[in-house]
Amino acid sequence: MVGLFSCVFIKASQRHHIRNINATEIKRGMGGLHGNKTVHRNNDLTAILESMALPPVHTSTHSETLVGGGDGSMILDNEICILNGDLNYRIDTMGRDTVVKAVNANNFSKLLERDQLLVSRRRNPGFRVRAFQEFPIAFAPTYKYDVGSDRYDTSEKRRAPAWCDRILYRGAGKIKQLDYQRHELRISDHRPVSGLFQMRIKTISVKKRAEAWKESRVRFGKAKERLTKEAKYVSE
């Protein structure tokens, strides 16, 4: 991959709700050219998720929307995370023709049993992406096609089809995926995928928080005074 172009589209009516936007890039080496490529892909994902590449959050208002004591400089500091893109995981130990026959027969379950990402999540306790969820896949592999056609790769390399393009998410109780599908655009050797999510977003009202803090201090003072009088009465 030479480059990646990403867009985020927001309704004009919702634009004023979007704040504190940051972007960064994390360079990865060419180690995946040799050796166990699944391990390299796992390591790349781990490096991205654990990299302290974002500016830290300093205000108490926003720090309360973070988790694990983080300061926002890591992706996993956030309550809700969506991981998507060409993750480049393949189907293990199956030849191209076998995979294509299974796809044509809609036998996706046979192929998903050997999907490198799903296998890593099942078998590798230290895999960081185990904390993420993925909606059940019910569509054909999205890679690799002859551009402009519905044929899987017929080039000299004849690459086996795979679910390279994925969407995963994390945020227990705060995010729910409603849909997961691929789209039949033929301008690339990939088929794009999309996900529909329902999220519950936490917001902090500085004014209401201050009022609640003031009220709790008053109630604590009254309770402390009452307990002090009761303790004095008992001692007498």
Side-chain angles (χ1 to χ4, degrees), residues 192-212:
V193 299
S194 67
L196 177 64
F197 292 89
Q198 184 178 67
M199 304 182 200
R200 183 162 60 90
I201 307 298
K202 179 193 290 184
T203 58
I204 307 287
S205 169
V206 177
K207 181 179 178 181
K208 290 182 178 180
R209 183 181 60 178
E211 291 173 352

Side-chain angles (χ1 to χ4, degrees), residues 38-63:
T38 302
V39 172
H40 288 298
R41 289 170 187 132
N42 291 352
N43 290 342
D44 284 344
L45 277 181
T46 298
I48 292 170
L49 293 173
E50 294 183 347
S51 175
M52 300 177 68
L54 297 170
V57 174
H58 296 291
T59 65
S60 59
T61 299
H62 293 101
S63 65

